[in-house]
Each structure stands twice: as C-alpha cells, then as structure tokens.
Amino acid sequence: MSIADILLGFLIAGGFFVSAAVSRMFRRPMTGIVFGGVAGIAVSVAIFWLGFEDFIDAASLPATD
C-alpha cells in the first residue's frame, strides 16, 4: 500500500464530512439527512471513480502471451 492509496482513502472518507456539512444547511432534520447522505455518497463515489481511473485503464489492457 502506497501513500497515494492512503490519501485516496482519506479523500473518500471525506465524503462523510461533506454529508455532515450539507445536512446542516437544511432546517428540517429529515431533509438534511436525505440531501446530506446523497451529497456525501456522490462525493465519495466521484473521488473513488477519478482516483481509480488509471487502475481501470491498466486493467483493461489485453493480455499478452
């Protein structure tokens, strides 16, 4: 495991903090939970997708004999 993997993990976990920040923007608790949860998951998935873009490209290379 490299330093880049550890930093990527921290960025993905940062989606939790985005979720908490967005949920505080709404007056009603249920609205904040729903929108905060969606925003947090969206941030985590976006970082995960962008962070592993090189890995996906490398995995799709054809096998050689």
Side-chain angles (χ1 to χ4, degrees):
M1 181 181 296
S2 68
I3 296 295
D5 294 333
I6 294 170
L7 292 176
L8 183 64
F10 280 128
L11 286 174
I12 292 170
F16 170 76
F17 296 106
V18 170
S19 175
V22 170
S23 69
R24 293 296 221 151
M25 292 182 194
F26 296 94
R27 184 175 297 264
R28 295 180 59 201
M30 196 60 186
T31 306
I33 290 169
V34 170
F35 283 124
V38 170
I41 290 171
V43 168
S44 294
V45 168
I47 291 171
F48 181 75
W49 183 258
L50 294 173
F52 282 109
E53 189 175 53
D54 294 331
F55 175 74
I56 292 170
D57 289 340
S60 66
L61 294 175
T64 58
D65 291 333

